[in-house]
Protein backbone atom coordinates (compact mmCIF):
# COMPACT_ATOMS: atom_id res chain seq x y z
CA UNK A 1 0.00 0.00 0.00
CA UNK A 2 0.99 3.67 -0.21
CA UNK A 3 1.22 5.79 2.92
CA UNK A 4 2.54 9.13 4.09
CA UNK A 5 4.99 9.13 7.00
CA UNK A 6 6.64 11.89 9.01
CA UNK A 7 10.21 11.37 7.84
CA UNK A 8 11.62 14.19 9.96
CA UNK A 9 9.36 16.58 11.90
CA UNK A 10 9.72 20.17 10.77
CA UNK A 11 7.89 23.05 9.05
CA UNK A 12 5.49 21.75 6.41
CA UNK A 13 7.08 24.13 3.92
CA UNK A 14 10.20 21.93 4.19
CA UNK A 15 8.32 18.72 3.30
CA UNK A 16 8.53 16.64 6.50
CA UNK A 17 6.18 14.03 4.99
CA UNK A 18 7.37 11.27 2.66
CA UNK A 19 5.20 9.05 0.43
CA UNK A 20 6.30 5.43 0.86
CA UNK A 21 5.40 1.85 -0.05
CA UNK A 22 4.51 -0.34 2.94
CA UNK A 23 2.99 -3.72 3.58
CA UNK A 24 -0.70 -3.66 4.38
CA UNK A 25 -0.85 -3.86 8.21
CA UNK A 26 -2.07 -7.04 9.87
CA UNK A 27 -4.78 -6.37 12.47
CA UNK A 28 -4.21 -7.66 16.00
CA UNK A 29 -6.68 -10.07 17.53
CA UNK A 30 -8.94 -7.23 18.75
CA UNK A 31 -8.50 -4.92 15.74
CA UNK A 32 -10.12 -4.13 12.42
CA UNK A 33 -8.21 -3.56 9.21
CA UNK A 34 -9.84 -0.55 7.54
CA UNK A 35 -9.58 0.43 3.88
CA UNK A 36 -9.45 4.23 4.07
CA UNK A 37 -11.90 6.09 1.83
CA UNK A 38 -11.54 9.58 3.34
CA UNK A 39 -9.44 11.17 6.07
CA UNK A 40 -9.93 14.64 7.48
CA UNK A 41 -6.95 16.97 7.84
CA UNK A 42 -6.76 18.10 11.46
CA UNK A 43 -4.55 20.77 13.00
CA UNK A 44 -3.17 18.04 15.26
CA UNK A 45 -1.75 16.40 12.12
CA UNK A 46 0.10 19.66 11.54
CA UNK A 47 1.45 19.61 15.11
CA UNK A 48 2.63 16.00 14.65
CA UNK A 49 4.26 16.77 11.31
CA UNK A 50 6.00 19.93 12.49
CA UNK A 51 7.18 18.50 15.81
CA UNK A 52 5.03 20.66 18.11
CA UNK A 53 4.04 17.34 19.69
CA UNK A 54 6.89 15.04 20.75
CA UNK A 55 7.59 12.02 18.56
CA UNK A 56 5.92 8.91 19.96
CA UNK A 57 6.28 6.64 16.93
CA UNK A 58 9.14 7.37 14.50
CA UNK A 59 7.95 7.72 10.89
CA UNK A 60 4.33 7.71 12.00
CA UNK A 61 1.53 8.05 9.46
CA UNK A 62 -0.71 10.97 10.55
CA UNK A 63 -4.47 11.12 10.29
CA UNK A 64 -7.27 10.40 12.76
CA UNK A 65 -10.51 11.46 11.08
CA UNK A 66 -10.90 8.29 9.05
CA UNK A 67 -13.95 6.98 7.22
CA UNK A 68 -13.45 3.58 5.64
CA UNK A 69 -14.72 0.04 5.29
CA UNK A 70 -13.66 -3.08 7.15
CA UNK A 71 -11.28 -5.16 5.02
CA UNK A 72 -10.46 -7.80 7.65
CA UNK A 73 -10.84 -8.43 11.37
CA UNK A 74 -8.77 -10.06 14.10
CA UNK A 75 -9.85 -13.41 15.46
CA UNK A 76 -11.34 -11.95 18.66
CA UNK A 77 -13.52 -9.36 16.93
CA UNK A 78 -17.28 -9.83 16.90
CA UNK A 79 -20.03 -7.58 15.60
CA UNK A 80 -18.21 -6.35 12.47
CA UNK A 81 -18.08 -7.83 9.00
CA UNK A 82 -16.06 -7.15 5.86
CA UNK A 83 -17.57 -4.17 4.06
CA UNK A 84 -19.00 -2.46 7.15
CA UNK A 85 -18.41 1.29 7.13
CA UNK A 86 -16.61 2.55 10.25
CA UNK A 87 -14.99 5.67 11.63
CA UNK A 88 -11.55 5.87 13.23
CA UNK A 89 -10.91 8.78 15.59
CA UNK A 90 -8.13 10.25 17.75
CA UNK A 91 -8.54 8.14 20.91
CA UNK A 92 -7.23 4.66 19.99
CA UNK A 93 -6.77 2.72 23.23
CA UNK A 94 -6.95 3.07 26.98
CA UNK A 95 -5.91 0.59 29.65
CA UNK A 96 -9.51 0.22 30.84
CA UNK A 97 -8.36 -0.50 34.40
CA UNK A 98 -7.03 2.73 35.89
CA UNK A 99 -9.03 4.98 38.20
CA UNK A 100 -9.76 7.44 35.42
CA UNK A 101 -11.24 4.74 33.17
CA UNK A 102 -13.20 3.34 36.11
CA UNK A 103 -14.90 6.69 36.74
CA UNK A 104 -15.74 7.32 33.08
CA UNK A 105 -12.83 9.69 32.37
CA UNK A 106 -10.97 7.49 29.92
CA UNK A 107 -9.71 10.61 28.14
CA UNK A 108 -7.39 11.12 31.13
CA UNK A 109 -6.03 7.54 31.13
CA UNK A 110 -2.22 7.63 31.55
CA UNK A 111 -2.00 4.61 29.24
CA UNK A 112 -4.08 6.15 26.45
CA UNK A 113 -2.86 5.90 22.85
CA UNK A 114 -3.79 7.99 19.83
CA UNK A 115 -4.30 7.36 16.13
CA UNK A 116 -1.75 9.13 13.97
CA UNK A 117 0.59 9.74 16.92
CA UNK A 118 1.15 6.48 18.81
CA UNK A 119 0.00 4.33 15.88
CA UNK A 120 -0.21 4.82 12.13
CA UNK A 121 -3.28 6.67 10.99
CA UNK A 122 -5.33 7.51 7.94
CA UNK A 123 -2.93 9.25 5.55
CA UNK A 124 -2.66 5.84 3.91
CA UNK A 125 -4.65 3.30 1.95
CA UNK A 126 -5.19 1.13 5.03
CA UNK A 127 -5.09 1.57 8.78
CA UNK A 128 -6.06 -0.48 11.83
CA UNK A 129 -8.22 0.31 14.82
CA UNK A 130 -9.22 -1.62 17.96
CA UNK A 131 -12.81 -2.68 17.28
CA UNK A 132 -13.89 -1.29 20.66
CA UNK A 133 -12.76 2.18 19.58
CA UNK A 134 -14.27 2.19 16.09
CA UNK A 135 -17.45 4.18 15.43
CA UNK A 136 -20.45 2.92 13.54
CA UNK A 137 -21.50 5.59 11.05
CA UNK A 138 -24.90 6.65 9.68
CA UNK A 139 -25.49 5.33 6.19
CA UNK A 140 -27.11 8.46 4.75
CA UNK A 141 -24.11 10.81 5.06
CA UNK A 142 -21.22 10.67 2.58
CA UNK A 143 -17.62 9.88 3.53
CA UNK A 144 -16.21 13.38 3.01
CA UNK A 145 -18.91 15.03 5.10
CA UNK A 146 -18.45 12.55 7.93
CA UNK A 147 -14.65 12.61 8.19
CA UNK A 148 -14.21 15.97 10.01
CA UNK A 149 -16.89 15.01 12.54
CA UNK A 150 -14.59 12.28 13.90
CA UNK A 151 -12.17 14.66 15.59
CA UNK A 152 -12.98 18.28 14.82
CA UNK A 153 -16.60 17.64 15.65
CA UNK A 154 -16.05 15.43 18.69
CA UNK A 155 -13.42 17.72 20.23
CA UNK A 156 -15.59 20.77 19.59
CA UNK A 157 -18.41 18.99 21.41
CA UNK A 158 -16.12 18.13 24.34
CA UNK A 159 -14.96 21.76 24.47
CA UNK A 160 -18.58 22.94 24.49
CA UNK A 161 -19.33 20.62 27.42
CA UNK A 162 -16.28 21.93 29.29
CA UNK A 163 -17.39 25.52 28.65
CA UNK A 164 -20.69 24.77 30.44
CA UNK A 165 -22.75 27.12 28.28
CA UNK A 166 -26.07 27.87 30.00
CA UNK A 167 -29.30 27.39 28.02
CA UNK A 168 -29.71 30.25 25.58
CA UNK A 169 -26.28 31.56 26.57
CA UNK A 170 -23.77 33.79 24.80
CA UNK A 171 -20.84 31.82 23.39
CA UNK A 172 -17.59 33.21 22.01
CA UNK A 173 -15.46 31.15 19.62
CA UNK A 174 -11.84 32.24 19.18
CA UNK A 175 -10.57 30.83 15.91
CA UNK A 176 -12.99 29.41 13.36
CA UNK A 177 -11.52 26.43 11.58
CA UNK A 178 -12.68 22.84 11.20
CA UNK A 179 -13.64 22.26 14.83
CA UNK A 180 -15.14 25.65 15.63
CA UNK A 181 -17.46 25.78 12.63
CA UNK A 182 -18.98 22.43 13.67
CA UNK A 183 -19.23 23.48 17.32
CA UNK A 184 -20.98 26.69 16.26
CA UNK A 185 -23.65 24.76 14.37
CA UNK A 186 -24.40 22.57 17.36
CA UNK A 187 -24.50 25.53 19.77
CA UNK A 188 -26.82 27.47 17.46
CA UNK A 189 -29.10 24.45 17.11
CA UNK A 190 -29.31 24.31 20.90
CA UNK A 191 -30.38 27.95 21.13
CA UNK A 192 -27.10 29.78 21.84
CA UNK A 193 -26.06 33.20 20.60
CA UNK A 194 -22.66 32.74 18.96
CA UNK A 195 -19.98 35.39 18.50
CA UNK A 196 -16.92 34.47 16.41
CA UNK A 197 -13.53 36.12 16.81
CA UNK A 198 -10.91 35.22 14.22
CA UNK A 199 -8.27 36.89 12.09
CA UNK A 200 -9.42 35.09 8.92
CA UNK A 201 -11.87 37.05 6.72
CA UNK A 202 -12.98 33.84 4.94
CA UNK A 203 -13.80 32.28 8.31
CA UNK A 204 -15.70 35.39 9.41
CA UNK A 205 -17.87 35.18 6.28
CA UNK A 206 -18.53 31.49 6.91
CA UNK A 207 -19.45 32.23 10.53
CA UNK A 208 -22.06 34.77 9.53
CA UNK A 209 -23.42 32.46 6.83
CA UNK A 210 -23.88 29.73 9.45
CA UNK A 211 -25.84 32.08 11.71
CA UNK A 212 -23.33 33.68 14.07
CA UNK A 213 -24.59 36.93 15.61
CA UNK A 214 -21.25 38.63 14.95
CA UNK A 215 -17.82 37.92 13.50
CA UNK A 216 -14.89 40.14 14.44
CA UNK A 217 -11.10 40.10 14.64
CA UNK A 218 -9.43 37.71 17.07
CA UNK A 219 -8.34 40.47 19.47
CA UNK A 220 -11.53 42.53 19.20
CA UNK A 221 -14.14 42.74 21.92
CA UNK A 222 -17.39 40.86 21.29
CA UNK A 223 -20.52 43.04 21.18
CA UNK A 224 -21.72 41.71 24.55
CA UNK A 225 -20.24 39.88 27.54
CA UNK A 226 -19.90 36.13 27.08
CA UNK A 227 -21.27 33.40 29.32
CA UNK A 228 -18.77 30.92 27.87
CA UNK A 229 -15.92 30.93 25.39
CA UNK A 230 -13.84 28.34 23.59
CA UNK A 231 -10.32 28.97 22.35
CA UNK A 232 -9.69 26.93 19.21
CA UNK A 233 -6.74 28.93 17.88
CA UNK A 234 -3.44 27.59 19.33
CA UNK A 235 -2.44 31.11 20.39
CA UNK A 236 -1.67 31.61 24.08
CA UNK A 237 -1.88 35.39 23.75
CA UNK A 238 -5.63 35.02 23.28
CA UNK A 239 -6.22 33.46 26.70
CA UNK A 240 -6.32 36.78 28.62
CA UNK A 241 -8.25 38.39 25.76
CA UNK A 242 -10.96 35.75 25.99
CA UNK A 243 -11.04 35.84 29.80
CA UNK A 244 -11.61 39.60 29.75
CA UNK A 245 -14.55 39.07 27.38
CA UNK A 246 -16.34 36.78 29.85
CA UNK A 247 -19.18 37.93 32.03
CA UNK A 248 -19.06 37.19 35.77
CA UNK A 249 -18.96 33.43 36.36
CA UNK A 250 -18.01 32.78 32.75
CA UNK A 251 -15.88 29.81 31.63
CA UNK A 252 -13.17 29.64 28.97
CA UNK A 253 -12.24 26.20 27.65
CA UNK A 254 -9.09 25.67 25.57
CA UNK A 255 -9.79 23.09 22.90
CA UNK A 256 -6.39 22.42 21.34
CA UNK A 257 -3.80 19.78 22.20
CA UNK A 258 -1.09 22.41 21.65
CA UNK A 259 -1.04 26.05 22.76
CA UNK A 260 1.74 28.60 22.58
CA UNK A 261 2.83 30.10 25.91
CA UNK A 262 0.30 32.28 27.66
CA UNK A 263 1.25 35.72 29.00
CA UNK A 264 0.85 36.48 32.72
CA UNK A 265 -2.77 36.78 33.80
CA UNK A 266 -4.11 39.72 35.81
CA UNK A 267 -6.26 38.39 38.58
CA UNK A 268 -8.53 41.42 38.92
CA UNK A 269 -9.44 41.86 35.23
CA UNK A 270 -9.14 38.31 33.93
CA UNK A 271 -9.96 35.83 36.70
CA UNK A 272 -11.85 37.62 39.44
CA UNK A 273 -15.66 37.31 39.74
CA UNK A 274 -15.34 33.51 39.60
CA UNK A 275 -14.26 33.23 36.01
CA UNK A 276 -12.78 29.83 35.13
CA UNK A 277 -10.10 28.60 32.72
CA UNK A 278 -10.40 24.94 31.69
CA UNK A 279 -8.40 22.69 29.38
CA UNK A 280 -9.76 19.98 27.10
CA UNK A 281 -7.95 16.65 26.89
CA UNK A 282 -9.01 14.34 24.08
CA UNK A 283 -12.49 12.84 24.48
CA UNK A 284 -14.28 9.76 25.68
CA UNK A 285 -15.98 7.31 23.34
CA UNK A 286 -19.27 8.38 24.88
CA UNK A 287 -18.50 11.95 23.76
CA UNK A 288 -18.03 10.64 20.24
CA UNK A 289 -21.23 8.63 20.18
CA UNK A 290 -23.23 11.50 21.70
CA UNK A 291 -21.87 14.04 19.24
CA UNK A 292 -22.48 11.87 16.17
CA UNK A 293 -26.07 11.39 17.29
CA UNK A 294 -26.57 15.13 17.87
CA UNK A 295 -24.91 15.98 14.55
CA UNK A 296 -27.31 13.67 12.73
CA UNK A 297 -30.31 15.09 14.62
CA UNK A 298 -29.44 18.74 14.02
CA UNK A 299 -27.92 18.42 10.53
CA UNK A 300 -24.42 19.53 11.58
CA UNK A 301 -22.30 19.44 8.43
CA UNK A 302 -18.71 20.36 7.70
CA UNK A 303 -17.78 22.83 5.00
CA UNK A 304 -15.20 20.71 3.19
CA UNK A 305 -12.41 21.08 0.65
CA UNK A 306 -11.12 17.84 -0.86
CA UNK A 307 -7.57 16.88 -1.79
CA UNK A 308 -6.33 13.59 -3.29
CA UNK A 309 -4.48 11.39 -0.82
CA UNK A 310 -1.35 11.94 -2.92
CA UNK A 311 -1.46 15.68 -2.09
CA UNK A 312 -1.54 15.48 1.70
CA UNK A 313 1.44 17.86 2.14
CA UNK A 314 -0.36 20.54 0.12
CA UNK A 315 -3.43 20.17 2.31
CA UNK A 316 -1.32 20.69 5.44
CA UNK A 317 0.40 23.73 3.94
CA UNK A 318 -2.96 25.22 3.00
CA UNK A 319 -4.27 24.54 6.51
CA UNK A 320 -1.31 26.30 8.07
CA UNK A 321 -1.63 29.28 5.71
CA UNK A 322 -5.40 29.58 6.22
CA UNK A 323 -6.17 29.14 2.53
CA UNK A 324 -9.59 27.57 3.11
CA UNK A 325 -12.51 27.86 5.47
CA UNK A 326 -14.05 24.85 7.17
CA UNK A 327 -12.10 21.59 6.88
CA UNK A 328 -9.89 19.77 4.37
CA UNK A 329 -10.43 16.09 3.61
CA UNK A 330 -8.09 13.68 1.85
CA UNK A 331 -9.89 11.37 -0.56
CA UNK A 332 -8.33 7.99 -1.31
CA UNK A 333 -8.66 7.58 -5.07
CA UNK A 334 -6.26 4.59 -5.25
CA UNK A 335 -7.80 1.17 -6.02
CA UNK A 336 -8.06 -1.42 -3.18
CA UNK A 337 -5.20 -3.92 -3.10
CA UNK A 338 -6.16 -6.18 -0.19
Amino acid sequence: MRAWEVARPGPVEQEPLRFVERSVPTPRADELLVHVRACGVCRTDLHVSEGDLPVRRPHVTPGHEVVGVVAAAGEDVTGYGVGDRVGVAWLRRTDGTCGYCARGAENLCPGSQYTGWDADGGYAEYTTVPAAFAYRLPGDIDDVTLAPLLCAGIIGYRALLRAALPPGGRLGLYGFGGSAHLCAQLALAQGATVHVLTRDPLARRLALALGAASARGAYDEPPEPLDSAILFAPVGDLVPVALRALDRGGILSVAGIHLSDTPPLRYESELFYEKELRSVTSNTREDGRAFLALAARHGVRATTHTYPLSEAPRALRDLKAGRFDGAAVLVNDLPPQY
Side-chain angles (χ1 to χ4, degrees), residues 40 92 106 133:
R92 178 183 179 83
E106 65 181 4
F133 287 80

Side-chain angles (χ1 to χ4, degrees), residues 202-229:
L202 286 175
R204 289 199 291 269
R205 286 199 290 272
L206 175 60
L208 293 173
L210 291 173
S214 71
R216 299 183 176 185
Y219 291 87
D220 293 342
E221 290 187 17
E224 58 182 338
L226 305 172
D227 298 301
S228 304

Side-chain angles (χ1 to χ4, degrees), residues 240-313:
V241 174
L243 286 170
R244 286 195 296 271
L246 291 174
D247 203 352
R248 299 181 181 206
I251 296 172
L252 169 64
S253 68
V254 180
I257 191 173
H258 171 76
L259 185 71
S260 62
D261 290 343
T262 61
L265 298 178
R266 293 187 176 91
Y267 181 71
E268 183 175 356
S269 60
E270 293 154 9
L271 286 172
F272 196 52
Y273 295 117
E274 299 192 355
K275 297 180 182 182
E276 295 183 39
L277 173 61
R278 297 180 175 179
S279 65
V280 176
T281 300
S282 185
N283 62 274
T284 67
R285 282 171 285 176
E286 181 54 36
D287 291 334
R289 290 188 286 264
F291 170 72
L292 290 172
L294 287 169
R297 183 187 311 163
H298 294 299
V300 175
R301 296 291 184 270
T303 297
T304 56
H305 306 268
T306 59
Y307 294 74
L309 175 63
S310 59
E311 296 187 24

Side-chain angles (χ1 to χ4, degrees), residues 128 146 169 193 201 226 230 324:
T128 61
L146 277 171
T193 299
L226 305 172
I230 305 173
F324 55 77

